[in-house]
Amino acid sequence: QYDGIEEYIKNIEFSNQFYIPLSIVEISLRNSLNDFFINKVGKNWLFDKKFIQPQLQTKINTAIKILKQQNKKITQDNIIAELSFGFWIMFLRKPFQEYLRYKDLKIIFPNIIIEKDIKVNRHYIFTKLNNIRLFRNKVFHFDKIICKKEYKNIEEDIYLILQYFDESLYQ
């Protein structure tokens, strides 16, 4: 709930500064994971029933359905573009740990930094990205984000992940 139109406008103005960085995080993750899985699993990894779990298969089926409704070609590239940020983050969860060891994370996030006193691993990155996803959903759906303590350090997290992909994205 907002305390009036002024707070609503302030929230929109604050949200506006995050659209581009959030979009870049999402697209960078999607592209990096796609490239990684093409090399690790195979060109048609998205359709590999041994690799894709039922929960993810449901999301792929939904993406295909949306493409059909939009009269778009059903290609791997189009399906990949249709899949949600949440879909991509799921690969950082425990069921995919055999595919995402630290050496693999270094391929996906080429500039990953070992932080002092922080164990940077798959779970750490998942936690950061999932928090960014929750924040992104609020921003993109015009929900209130100002004065929310759970997003106190969100800008730092967004730019940290961007830095993990490419130093130039951080600036």
Side-chain angles (χ1 to χ4, degrees):
Q1 294 288 345
Y2 293 99
D3 292 331
I5 190 72
E6 294 82 16
E7 187 179 49
Y8 178 74
I9 291 169
K10 184 178 176 184
N11 188 72
I12 290 173
E13 290 170 346
F14 183 64
S15 296
N16 188 44
Q17 72 183 352
F18 292 102
Y19 285 113
I20 292 172
L22 287 168
S23 295
I24 294 171
V25 165
E26 185 169 349
I27 290 168
S28 297
L29 180 65
R30 176 188 79 196
N31 292 345
S32 193
L33 281 172
N34 182 50
D35 290 346
F36 175 77
F37 290 135
I38 285 171
N39 291 321
K40 184 104 175 181
V41 179
K43 185 179 179 191
N44 294 314
W45 69 269
L46 197 59
F47 304 106
D48 186 330
K49 302 291 185 202
K50 293 179 206 157
F51 177 67
I52 296 295
Q53 299 175 341
Q55 181 182 11
L56 295 177
Q57 186 61 57
T58 300
K59 293 181 180 288
I60 293 167
N61 293 342
T62 300
I64 291 169
K65 183 178 176 182
I66 290 168
L67 290 170
K68 285 180 181 177
Q69 290 170 347
Q70 297 172 345
N71 293 320
K72 292 184 178 177
K73 283 181 91 173
I74 309 301
T75 64
Q76 184 156 328
D77 287 343
N78 284 347
I79 294 168
I80 285 169
E82 192 63 42
L83 292 165
S84 70
F85 191 28
F87 173 88
W88 298 104
I89 291 172
M90 294 295 288
F91 289 108
L92 292 157
R93 301 208 55 195
K94 192 170 184 171
F96 292 95
Q97 67 186 351
E98 68 185 78
Y99 290 93
L100 298 175
R101 302 285 186 204
Y102 185 76
K103 65 179 176 53
D104 301 314
L105 292 176
K106 287 286 293 173
I107 295 167
I108 297 163
F109 304 94
N111 293 314
I112 200 167
I113 299 166
I114 303 300
E115 297 183 35
K116 192 177 185 180
D117 302 324
I118 298 174
K119 187 175 181 180
V120 178
N121 57 20
R122 179 192 46 76
H123 179 72
Y124 173 82
I125 295 172
F126 168 79
T127 302
K128 295 274 185 205
L129 281 169
N130 197 48
N131 194 40
I132 291 169
R133 178 189 65 83
L134 295 171
F135 179 76
R136 174 230 178 262
N137 290 347
K138 292 210 173 279
V139 167
F140 282 42
H141 294 107
F142 310 105
D143 290 343
K144 185 176 179 181
I145 58 169
I146 56 174
C147 305
K148 298 281 185 173
K149 65 181 177 225
E150 62 266 32
Y151 302 125
K152 180 181 173 196
N153 298 318
I154 196 70
E155 189 168 13
E156 290 171 23
D157 288 347
I158 291 168
Y159 284 100
L160 177 68
I161 295 296
L162 286 173
Q163 183 178 6
Y164 286 174
F165 286 116
D166 187 331
E167 287 282 337
S168 66
L169 295 175
Y170 179 71
Q171 299 168 1

